[in-house]
Amino acid sequence: MDSVFAAIVQAPEDPILGVTVAYNKDQSPIKLNLGVGAYRTEEGKPLVLNVVRKAEQLLVNDQSRVKEYLPILGLAEFNKLSAKLILGDDSPAIQENRVATAQCLSGTGSLRVGAEFLAKHYNERTIYIPQPSWGNHLKVFTMAGLSVKTYSYYDPTTRGLNFQGLLEDLGAAPAGAIVLLHACAHNPTGVDPTVEQWEQIRQLIRSKGLLPFFDSAYQGFASGSLDADAQPVRMFVADGGECFIAQSYAKNMGLYGERVGALSIVCKAADVASRVESQLKLVIRPMYSNPPLHGASIASTILKNSDLYNEWKVELKAMADRIISMRKQLFDALTAKGTPGDWSHIIKQIGMFTFTGLNRDQVAFMTKEYHIYMTSDGRISMAGLSSSTVPHLADAIHAAVTCSS
Amino acid sequence: MDPTPVVGARYMSSWWRSVQPAPKDPILGVTEAFLADPDPDKINVGVGAYRDDNGKPVVLECVREAERRIAGNSNMEYLPMGGSVNMVEETLKLAYGENSELIKDRRIAAVQALSGTGACRLLADFQKRFCPESQIYIPVPTWSNHHNIWRDAQVPQKTYHYYHPESKGLDFAAMIDDIKNAPNGSFFLLHACAHNPTGVDPTLEQWKEISHHIKVKGHFPFFDMAYQGFASGDPERDAKSIRIFLEDGHHIGIAQSYAKNMGLYGQRVGCLSVLCEDEKQAVAVKSQLQQLARPMYSNPPVHGALIVSTILGDPDLKKLWLKEVKVMADRIIGMRTALRGNLEKLGSPLSWQHITNQIGMFCYSGMTPEQVDRLTNEFHIYMTRNGRISMAGVTTGNVEYLANAIHQVTKSA
């Protein structure tokens, strides 16, 4: 009997996750995985935070815990705490019950649910995403039924922000268009607007009536401070306007595979938020009915317990500090080698990733000759580096830059 | 920096003024209403989540043990897009057979999914993308969320006859007719066992005929198996419909869920599998399924998958699980007998043999929405308005009260 799917061709590897696949196949003892953005310790090991282990133990020892379905919108306590985390404990939007929050499957799930809601209920179908952005953004929004355009963001000549281009492109967007903003630690470039630039972006977006959709995947992970990293989002909420926020706990709580996240929609009025919440359920139910329990329970346990919360902040800062230290070490190493070019962007950029500015050929060279695995856009995950591997990477970059045609 | 706040007419009103309040989910809304009711005699026979004889949710012993082993040992890294390979392998054995040649020949494209819902949604999205001209045929009645899933995937839906109200059994002849009349190459959604909401399953002979007619028309059979083990107490027996189709050479699809049979409801653990012609095709199909998962949630949650693979990968834990599943199934079968017995004892003028003829978590009582409303308003009994009773919510402590209430609202029917 013929299969109805006989004509199906194999899909290409996901460019980001495919890097780890290739890395795993490599037998070289000096191989280095700077691909996917998962934090590694100095020893190159994945890290489970102490607070997460503690929370796990509390949960497993609690005999009264059951595994029942969560409500469609997820764990209510988690939702409240998540909203507070990003918006601030004393946020008027929360006090006025203007925030509709749904627990979703990490950042991806939050973005997808938000996008499907927009495709269903919003009068504008176009979303503007920065150029470049996380590779999966395009797929998420397209699958949800939105049409994706880009706005200028990264300037390859400065390896910094193309601020003028950004303002022009957003200025030319049709009224009501959706704008995706990386709340902090832009992925893949690590280039963030300054506070002053954020203020100008906010004014432009509000004056044009554009709808901001924040992707917050690195709160606390970028600068080491949860509040500092939330500032751009809070600026927008402070002006009383509406916005969407996708939060992920994959990196900042190390909960990657547990898929913990939240979508918050900040509305102008409480009755609106309540109706929006009811409609979110209709998006979620035919996708997966209700979100997974375990990860959100861990996150909630940490967020609501002040000792665990404070301990978390300390561990989070330690991760951020190690990454900042890696940046410094790599910069120093390249400077010491006299590698041609200006490498100051390595220490100016922020968050897990550095957009090295290396081209596809140079990347391919580094993979082939030095067994260094990274995405072909030149993005490296600083979290994958350690003091002992920085020299190897510096050698590889130096070779790629000086030997390449 | 210009501190002037931006205020404008457009800026003053919400984008979402015209968003209507959504209707409550017909199933999940029942539990919400139940929880809000202060009456001490209230009974929840709405949502299909298992309860023990004290009306309490159950965490299986094998699950507790698995969690003890997992806590402190998992590094919580991302799973691959297709999920836990281990868990998927074990899951396929349950559906296709422990020693299935199909598994050995690597002909099955399979990915971990977000329980049954997620598996169905992935299949629906896959169908939309790769068989865009096809329609899905859905039985009447079915789990209400099936309609939502294929609608949101934008796959045109049709229905096929299934439940026969007069006999409270299967409308077999009409079902076969619908299979014959559907355009060749249609997709047919089949409940592998313990049909939800009716509890009415075809006999093995009927399954063989269904398989035959589906084969003649070249339809794609998609099994939603949410209750393997939970229906008869024997997972092998509950998978018989699937095995019949496999023997007949169909290239089937299956959505499997561990929500009920392992009590992992909130963990969202399941699997979508698609049987292909050969390994090469299976690799291609799996890669495409992953392409659909990536923009939905990137990769599935690890915890529930770890529980499943811990249990199924350990012969002792697996034995314990099989024992615990049988206990759950037996308790439900016992409650069916008790409910029917009580109604007959009360002298009900109606026939209630369908209560024990039907199988699985649900009983399609045959009550009308109005009668259901009376049950709720007068007796504080919560169930979906299609008359579906979740037998898992029935206990030795409440079965008499339930029987009496049902008798009261139906005796003059």
Side-chain angles (χ1 to χ4, degrees), chain A residues 1 40 108 203 239 242 279, chain B residues 2 11 14 20 77 251:
Chain A
M1 228 174 142
R40 293 287 177 267
T108 308
Q203 287 186 21
D239 68 17
E242 299 182 318
Q279 290 289 349
Chain B
D2 181 353
Y11 182 61
S14 169
Q20 295 303 308
E77 291 282 281
H251 294 142

Side-chain angles (χ1 to χ4, degrees), chain B residues 346-360:
Chain B
L346 287 165
S348 171
L350 306 173
S351 162
W352 296 101
Q353 68 178 16
H354 54 285
I355 295 181
T356 47
N357 285 344
Q358 292 165 6
I359 191 168

